[in-house]
Amino acid sequence: MAPVLPGSGRIPVTLLSGYLGAGKTTAVNRLLAAGAGRRLAVLVNDFGAVSVDAALIEARDATTISLANGCLCCAVSDDLGGALDGLAALPEPPEQVLIEASGVAHPARIARMAGGWPGFALDAVATVADPETLRARAADKFVGRLVRDQVEAADLLLLSRADLACPAAVADARALLAGLAPGRPVLDAAEAAAAPDLLLGPLVSGAQPRPLPGPAPHPAFSSRIWTPPGPIAPERMREILAALPAPIHRAKGFFVTPDGATMLAQRAGARVEIAPAAPAATAIVLIAAGPAETRENALPRAIAELDAAPFQDTRPGDAA
Amino acid sequence: MTDPSQITVFTARRIRTMNRSNPVATAVAVRDGRILEVGTPETLRPWLDAHPHTVDDRFRDAVLMPGFIDPHLHPTLAAILLPCHFITALEWRLPNRVSPPVTSQEAYMARLTEIEAGLADPAEPLITWGYHRIWHGAVTREMLNAVSSERPIVLWQRSFHEVVANDAAIDWMGLDRADLDRHPQVEPSTGRFFETGLSLAMRGMNPHLLAPQRFSGGLELVKQAIHWGGHTTIGELAYPLADDAGEWAALKAALDGDDVPFRTHFVPRGALRGAFDAQGADLARIDGYAARNTHRLRFGNGVKLFTDGGFFAELMQVQEPGFIDGHHGEWMMAPEAFERVARDLWHAGKRIHVHCTGDLGVELALDVLERLQFARPRFNHRFTIEHFGLSTPEQVRRIRDLGALVSANVYYVHELGEAYWQRSIGHERASSMSRLGALEREGVTTALHSDFTMAPALPLNSAWVAVNRVAESGAVIGAEERMSLDAAMRAITIDAAYVLGMENEIGSIRAGKAADFTVLGEDPWEVDPMALRDIPVLGTVFEGRHFPAAG
C-alpha cells in the first residue's frame, strides 16, 4: 500500500468549461496573476493565449511556465491523461489542478476522464458564460446544443464581463442560466478568478484547514469554519451540505462517522460528495459569495443552525 | 524489365482503360514506367515500328484496369491494429489470413480459446480486435479468466471505444483495483473499460501497441494488405497522427523502398490534434512537408480538416431529430476555428478535404464553403467532403452547386446500416447513409475509400457495397442510393485520382500516364454485380513493373 495522504490522497481537479470566447482564457490569466494560495497547475489548450506578467515568471519552456506564486501553467493537447501523469510525477506535485477545457469539449466527459484518472479526483465543473453572446450561442445551429450541455453540466457558473455588459444582458443571461441549470450558483468570473478560494474552493489537503480569508474580510467572498460537534453519518452529512442556504456555494472539510471513519465532504454548487479519507482534523470550511451583507449574514446563521441540528439522528442503513 | 528504356507491350484478354474516349483495349505499350499508348497491337504499330520492343503476354487471360486508388486511409493506425488477432462478426480478408464471420458468443469464445492455445510464449499478451456486443454478447472478465488466468487477454471492441480485460491483463496494465472501483466508466466486475475509462486501459496497453518492433511489423502487414487489395496509389489523409518525427521515420522505412508496389500521397492535417480552437492555418508547417517528397512518398496541395466526430463511435453531429437515445455528437474543432483555418487554406489556394460524418457536419462544411466562395470565388477548388455518412438530398445539390467533391466510405451501409436503423437513428436516415445514388444523379465527382481500418482496404469490396447496398444480414438497404457499376469503378480509379489532384498522372490507362495496372481474373462488367468482390486480384503493375499477388 502506498502511504495514505491527507484527504482522499488524490489531487483535486477543477474543470473550467465554456464555449469559445466565453472568457475562459481571461479567467486563467487573472488566476495566474493573482496566485492561488497553493501549488496550482493549470492545463491550457491554447498555450499562446496565456499572458502573465514577465516579472512573475520563474522559468519557461515550450510547454510550461512556472510562476513565483506557485502556479504552473502547462500546454495540453489531446493527451490529457499523459499531462496528468506528468504532473503527478513532479518532485513536488501540484495541490490542485485546473483544466481549461477546449471550447468544444463536453465537460461531463472531461470531468469523468480527469476525475477518474489514477491519483486525481474531480473537484468541480465551472462553466464560463459571456452575457453578451450566451443567448445567441445557446440557439446556434451548430453549437447551441453544445453550449447548453456545457451549462447544464456545470457545478458552478461564472459570468464573465459582468461589469462591462449592459445590465439587461446580464439579467437575461442569469435567467437563461437559471433555466438551464437550476440551483447552480452564478458567480462573477472576474471576482472568482481574483479570489481563488472562491473558484477553486478551500485547500484542505493539509492536516489543518486554514481559516479563510484571514483577518480582513475579502471583498468577493466570506468564509467560516464549522466544526461538527460529533460524529455524523455520511448520508446525514450529504443532506446537511445540500441544504446549506444559497450564498454558500462551496463547502469542504473532514468529519468523522459514528463508526470512527474520517470522511472528506465537499459541496461545489449543487454537487455534494463524500469520500473516505485518512484521519484529519474535523472541520468544514464554508464559502459564501454574493453581496457582502447577504453572505456575512448567511454564514453565522447557517453555522448556528448547523450546531443546533440533530446530528446523531442517523438514518437506517447508515451504520457501515 | 532488364532495359528500362525498352518498350514493353502488355497484351491482355481485355483492358478497361476508364478513359471514356477509348474505354476498351487489348494492348498497352509501356516505356520507363509510363504508358506510350493503349489500344490494339495494330493501333500500336507506329511506336513498335520505330523502336525496339518486346511483347509480354503474361496477362493474356487477365483483365487490366488502372491501378486502384484508395484516396483515404491511415497506414499508421492500421499498423497498430493489424498485428492484433482478428475475431470479427463480418468476414475480414487480409493477405496473411482470413477472419471468418464469428456471430455468436459460443463461436467467439471457441475462436478465442483456439487462438490462446496456439500462442507459444505464455507471457505474450493476447489482444483481439472485432468484438461487438450485438453479435458476441457480454463477454466478461471471468469468461476471459477461464480462457487463461496467466496470459493477459484484452478484447478491443470493433469501434475502438471499449475493451474487456481479464485479471492478468488488468495486472499487466499496471492498474490499481481501487482506481477501477471508483471510475464511472469502468466495470471492475466485468472487466469492461469504456469511453473515458478506456483511457486507463490504453495507458497500460500503449507501450505494447506502439513498441517499435511491433509497429514496423504492423506496417509490413499494411504494405501487404494495400498490395493485396490491388492498389497502386493510396492517400494518407491526416498526417501526422501524433508524432511527426517517429511516424515519418517509420513510414519512410516501410513505404519508400524500391520493393513497394504503390505510392503514398500525404495530406497533412490543417490543425494538429488537440488544436480545437485554432486561430488559423499553420501554413509554414503545412508547406514545409513538401521538402520531404520522394518518388513514392509525396505531399501535394491537399490539406485535411475535421468537422464532427467518428461515425462508428456515433459521435457524428446529426441534424434534428438527432439520435434515438438523445445523445449528442461532438465537434472535432470549434466551428469558428474550423472556418478560420479553412479560410486561410482557401486563400492559400489549397485543396481542402473535410472529414464530415453526420449531416450537421456536412452542413457546417457547406455553410463555410459557401461563405468562402462568396468572399473569393474559386473554380476547380476540389473542396472534398470525406466519409459522407449522413446527408440530405438537398445537401447533395448544394455540394454540386458549390463545386465540391465527395470521397465516401460506403462500407458504413454494409456494417452499420441495419445496426443504426435498429438502435441509433431509425430506418429512413440509416438506409440512406453514404447517399451515392443522389451524388451520381447530380453529377458530383465521387471517390470511394476505406478509411482503413474502418473498412477493409479492398476497392472491389467497396465498389460491391456501392453497387448493391447489401447490409450485414444480406438485405438491400436504400436501393435508390445504389451507384451504377461505371460510377463505382470510376470511384476507385479516375475519380479517386481527381479527388487527390492526380488525374493527369494516374487513374486511367492512357498515353502519358504512369503504367499502373490492377490485374483481375475477371471483368467487373461481365460478372453478376453481387460477385464483384469475389473477382480475384491477381496482382498489380506499378510503373511498368509486375508485382504478382503473393501465394
Side-chain angles (χ1 to χ4, degrees):
Chain A
M1 277 296 280
V4 180
L5 297 168
S8 68
R10 299 191 177 95
I11 301 170
V13 178
T14 310
L15 185 63
L16 193 63
S17 157
Y19 194 65
L20 227 59
K24 296 190 300 293
T25 304
T26 306
V28 164
N29 284 335
R30 284 204 170 118
L31 182 62
L32 290 173
R38 66 199 79 183
R39 289 196 310 280
L40 176 73
V42 182
L43 299 180
V44 299
N45 188 244
D46 184 3
F47 200 59
V50 174
S51 149
V52 206
D53 186 348
L56 272 175
I57 297 176
E58 277 192 337
R60 170 171 203 151
D61 64 28
T63 57
T64 308
I65 302 174
S66 308
L67 300 179
N69 60 26
C71 290
L72 186 68
C73 180
C74 310
V76 58
S77 58
D78 64 338
D79 184 15
L80 180 58
L84 291 174
D85 281 344
L87 292 176
L90 288 173
E92 234 187 347
E95 293 168 294
Q96 190 158 0
V97 175
L98 179 80
I99 299 174
E100 181 192 4
S102 91
V104 288
H106 285 273
R109 183 181 159 78
I110 309 226
R112 283 195 294 269
M113 161 88 191
W117 199 252
F120 295 83
L122 181 68
D123 165 60
V125 175
T127 296
V128 190
D130 174 7
E132 301 278 7
T133 59
L134 179 64
R135 188 165 285 279
R137 287 253 163 81
D140 184 83
K141 173 179 171 183
F142 297 114
V143 301
R145 185 66 259 173
L146 170 66
V147 167
R148 298 196 298 277
D149 283 351
Q150 290 175 341
V151 169
E152 287 166 11
D155 299 308
L156 310 171
L157 292 159
L158 304 178
L159 212 49
S160 62
R161 291 182 261 276
D163 49 337
L164 303 174
C166 80
V170 173
D172 181 54
R174 282 181 176 277
L176 187 56
L177 294 176
L180 289 171
R184 256 63 64 86
V186 180
L187 309 176
D188 180 302
E191 285 183 0
D197 290 316
L198 188 58
L199 174 60
L200 302 173
L203 182 71
V204 298
S205 62
Q208 278 289 348
R210 292 169 306 162
L212 296 168
H218 192 281
F221 70 97
S222 306
S223 76
R224 296 287 189 282
I225 291 175
W226 169 57
T227 306
I232 304 177
E235 277 317 303
R236 182 78 186 104
M237 180 56 93
R238 189 178 289 278
E239 290 174 356
I240 289 168
L241 293 186
L244 288 169
I248 302 173
H249 75 292
R250 271 201 180 266
K252 190 169 185 178
F254 302 100
F255 67 101
V256 176
T257 63
D259 56 350
T262 302
M263 305 293 274
L264 173 66
Q266 59 179 326
R267 173 178 165 178
R271 196 163 56 83
V272 177
E273 285 205 8
I274 311 284
T282 299
I284 310 270
V285 181
L286 308 178
I287 295 187
E293 201 179 308
T294 315
R295 57 183 205 243
E296 281 298 326
N297 287 336
L299 279 168
R301 197 176 326 129
I303 286 178
E305 283 173 18
L306 286 172
D307 284 338
F311 295 111
Q312 309 307 329
D313 180 17
T314 56
R315 293 147 55 86
D318 277 352
Chain B
M1 264 129 287
T2 46
D3 175 3
S5 287
Q6 168 129 354
I7 295 173
T8 303
V9 178
F10 292 109
T11 56
R13 177 160 78 81
R14 185 167 297 134
I15 299 173
R16 293 283 186 181
T17 68
M18 302 312 291
N19 171 6
R20 281 170 171 156
S21 310
N22 182 34
V24 178
T26 56
V28 57
V30 173
R31 185 175 67 193
D32 295 337
R34 298 215 153 248
I35 297 165
L36 291 175
E37 181 164 327
V38 62
T40 65
E42 290 69 42
T43 62
L44 300 184
R45 281 276 44 108
W47 283 103
L48 307 185
D49 289 347
H51 302 285
H53 64 275
T54 55
V55 175
D56 187 330
D57 72 345
R58 70 177 86 187
F59 303 128
R60 63 187 172 277
D61 296 326
V63 174
L64 296 186
M65 285 199 63
F68 292 159
I69 300 165
D70 187 328
H72 186 149
L73 46 71
H74 302 290
T76 310
L77 284 172
I80 294 169
L81 187 68
L82 284 182
C84 294
H85 300 273
F86 280 36
I87 310 178
T88 51
L90 278 67
E91 181 184 78
W92 274 70
R93 287 183 275 181
L94 296 165
N96 61 344
R97 64 203 136 134
V98 173
S99 170
V102 170
T103 54
S104 72
Q105 184 166 93
E106 200 181 3
Y108 189 94
M109 294 309 295
R111 179 75 188 117
L112 184 66
T113 305
E114 184 187 11
I115 291 172
E116 201 282 331
L119 295 179
D121 177 357
E124 182 187 334
L126 194 175
I127 300 177
T128 76
W129 174 80
Y131 166 70
H132 203 299
R133 193 179 284 243
I134 288 181
W135 291 277
H136 306 135
V139 175
T140 64
R141 177 180 62 92
E142 293 292 359
M143 292 162 69
L144 300 182
N145 284 345
V147 175
S148 177
S149 58
E150 309 283 314
R151 181 190 306 287
I153 300 179
V154 181
L155 314 192
W156 204 357
Q157 197 243 12
R158 201 273 177 238
S159 74
F160 305 100
H161 283 72
E162 179 182 324
V163 301
V164 183
N166 67 349
D167 282 319
I170 291 171
D171 292 338
W172 171 67
M173 292 168 183
L175 293 169
D176 183 339
R177 275 6 182 232
D179 286 322
L180 306 188
D181 286 338
R182 75 186 181 98
H183 200 292
Q185 292 180 318
V186 177
E187 289 172 8
S189 60
T190 61
R192 182 169 164 254
F193 298 70
F194 56 103
E195 302 301 336
T196 63
L198 180 63
S199 316
L200 253 64
M202 295 314 294
R203 180 174 72 155
M205 288 165 67
N206 275 340
H208 173 76
L209 294 175
L210 303 175
Q213 201 181 349
R214 186 183 190 277
F215 185 71
S216 56
L219 276 175
E220 195 55 41
L221 293 173
V222 171
K223 197 159 85 181
Q224 291 169 20
I226 288 167
H227 177 235
W228 200 64
H231 305 89
T232 53
T233 301
I234 58 168
E236 146 63 282
L237 229 75
Y239 183 84
L241 178 65
D243 162 33
D244 177 26
E247 276 169 57
W248 185 254
L251 289 169
K252 192 159 163 49
L255 304 183
D256 201 28
D258 197 41
D259 64 323
V260 180
F262 56 89
R263 66 181 68 75
T264 307
H265 178 89
F266 287 84
V267 174
R269 292 171 183 270
L272 293 176
R273 279 165 74 93
F276 306 101
D277 306 338
Q279 294 303 306
D282 182 3
L283 286 164
R285 174 181 60 80
I286 291 164
D287 289 334
Y289 292 123
R292 304 177 186 183
N293 284 359
T294 67
H295 186 67
R296 279 181 173 74
L297 310 184
R298 283 186 244 166
F299 289 85
N301 194 40
V303 183
K304 175 78 177 291
L305 293 178
F306 296 77
T307 57
D308 53 343
F311 200 71
F312 275 90
E314 287 186 87
L315 290 173
M316 62 280 202
Q317 287 280 12
V318 178
Q319 296 191 109
E320 292 296 326
F323 292 96
I324 294 170
D325 68 5
H327 85 272
H328 306 134
E330 68 180 26
W331 294 111
M332 303 282 277
M333 286 181 85
E336 292 91 331
F338 168 76
E339 183 163 358
R340 283 195 294 262
V341 177
R343 188 186 303 118
D344 287 351
L345 297 173
W346 181 261
H347 287 303
K350 298 294 181 187
R351 188 181 77 239
I352 303 172
H353 296 259
V354 188
H355 159 119
C356 303
T357 54
D359 54 1
L360 192 61
V362 172
E363 191 73 3
L364 173 62
L366 295 180
D367 277 11
V368 168
L369 176 57
E370 190 161 313
R371 284 195 287 275
L372 297 176
Q373 282 288 29
F374 185 82
R376 177 169 178 159
R378 275 176 65 187
F379 297 94
N380 196 20
H381 49 76
R382 304 198 193 183
F383 187 103
T384 304
I385 304 289
E386 298 283 339
H387 303 321
F388 198 60
L390 299 180
S391 63
T392 66
E394 292 74 20
Q395 287 176 334
V396 172
R397 288 182 71 176
R398 207 167 157 219
I399 288 170
R400 180 202 62 195
D401 291 349
L402 291 167
L405 317 178
V406 172
S407 178
N409 183 348
V410 72
Y411 194 73
Y412 294 150
V413 175
H414 182 57
E415 179 149 350
L416 299 174
E418 288 165 331
Y420 280 14
W421 155 18
Q422 295 298 336
R423 58 179 184 86
S424 180
I425 49 175
H427 183 268
E428 182 189 339
R429 287 178 293 164
S431 65
S432 61
M433 58 174 65
S434 306
R435 192 185 286 283
L436 299 178
L439 291 168
E440 189 178 355
R441 289 189 287 276
E442 297 291 351
V444 175
T445 298
T446 300
L448 294 177
H449 67 239
S450 67
D451 197 15
F452 186 52
T453 57
M454 293 299 124
L458 299 170
L460 286 175
N461 188 63
S462 303
W464 173 82
V465 181
V467 167
N468 298 292
R469 289 185 78 90
V470 171
E472 190 244 338
S473 74
V476 172
I477 185 163
E480 299 305 318
E481 295 300 345
R482 286 182 296 201
M483 204 177 204
S484 71
L485 177 66
D486 275 357
M489 298 312 287
R490 290 178 65 85
I492 58 174
T493 56
I494 185 64
D495 288 353
Y498 191 83
V499 160
L500 292 178
M502 299 175 78
E503 73 278 11
N504 291 324
E505 290 292 308
I506 56 171
S508 65
I509 302 178
R510 71 149 171 83
K513 286 199 179 183
D516 293 354
F517 314 128
T518 300
V519 186
L520 301 178
E522 292 181 77
D523 183 344
W525 281 263
E526 285 186 346
V527 302
D528 183 310
M530 279 300 288
L532 258 186
R533 65 171 171 174
D534 301 318
I535 293 175
V537 176
L538 304 174
T540 58
V541 173
F542 178 67
E543 298 183 347
R545 190 169 145 204
H546 185 207
F547 290 85

